Amino acid sequence: TIAHLRLSRGVPECVRSAAKSGHFCTVVQEPGAATAWVPQSVLPQHRKLSEADGVEDMDKGRGWCALRVGCLGSGKAGLKGPAQPGTANVLCTLLTEAALHVRIVSAFGSELLLIPEDVIAEAATILADRGHALFPSPRVCEPVPWEADQVPPSDPLLARQLAGAWSLVQREEPLGTVAEEYTEGT
């Protein structure tokens, strides 16, 4: 979980420490103030941080996730290398067209999408529907159907509903408009 902070009195020690220890950290200096993106786990208690360092949590506790944009391969974290310049912009456009508030961070050939945690499953669905891969998938969203989120795992009704062999009969895009049908062999 990543926090988005406004820094009004310089860069606090917790942000410096995150950068020195290899955690995800970015600081952008703007006229009049700076902003920082750092893991919430490195932040001290909220009140202490705001009083001591002049830091404001821009999103009032809302967490963000970072998705690194790259080309598939066998390199570190499954990525062969950075994506073509501008790829993050294309992905960001897809998500903002769906009214998701996402951000781009780009530095030294590496591009990241910052997506609010509460819409990460929706963002993953939109990107996957457009043919983009996200991995490792357990780190993107829960490995259960969205509607099963609140159901205990031992629910026999849910087990009966999801059990069995499945095959795709048709693909709709947009919802309600058949884009492809798969009826051969049935």
Side-chain angles (χ1 to χ4, degrees):
T1 301
I2 298 168
H4 181 205
L5 310 172
R6 179 178 304 268
L7 311 175
S8 61
R9 287 189 237 149
V11 180
E13 184 54 38
C14 62
V15 175
R16 291 175 194 273
S17 176
K20 289 176 186 174
S21 62
H23 287 91
F24 173 83
C25 178
T26 183
V27 177
V28 178
Q29 179 65 51
E30 304 170 70
T35 57
W37 298 85
V38 295
Q40 286 180 345
S41 62
V42 303
L43 299 177
Q45 199 174 46
H46 178 71
R47 179 172 293 194
K48 179 182 176 194
L49 183 65
S50 61
E51 289 173 2
D53 298 310
V55 174
E56 175 189 355
D57 183 350
M58 296 295 293
D59 301 307
K60 308 297 183 231
R62 181 184 205 188
W64 293 75
C65 294
L67 294 180
R68 188 164 61 131
V69 179
C71 297
L72 290 176
S74 59
K76 186 177 181 182
L79 296 178
K80 186 175 186 177
Q84 293 292 330
T87 303
N89 185 43
V90 172
L91 301 177
C92 189
T93 300
L94 285 174
L95 298 174
T96 55
E97 286 173 353
L100 300 182
H101 301 285
V102 299
R103 307 280 168 73
I104 296 176
V105 174
S106 179
F108 304 110
S110 178
E111 295 182 319
L112 296 165
L113 288 177
L114 296 171
I115 302 171
E117 280 185 326
D118 57 343
V119 297
I120 191 68
E122 185 178 353
T125 300
I126 291 165
L127 294 174
D129 283 349
R130 302 303 189 285
H132 301 284
L134 293 111
F135 59 91
S137 58
R139 294 183 64 189
V140 175
C141 58
E142 291 294 322
V144 296
W146 316 146
E147 64 272 359
D149 248 358
Q150 305 302 318
V151 180
S154 60
D155 184 349
L157 279 174
L158 179 63
R160 261 185 269 151
Q161 179 186 359
L162 299 177
W166 292 82
S167 65
L168 183 63
V169 176
Q170 67 185 25
R171 181 177 68 83
E172 297 179 356
E173 191 174 334
L175 192 59
T177 304
V178 176
E180 295 178 73
E181 286 197 65
Y182 310 99
T183 55
E184 292 179 25
T186 59

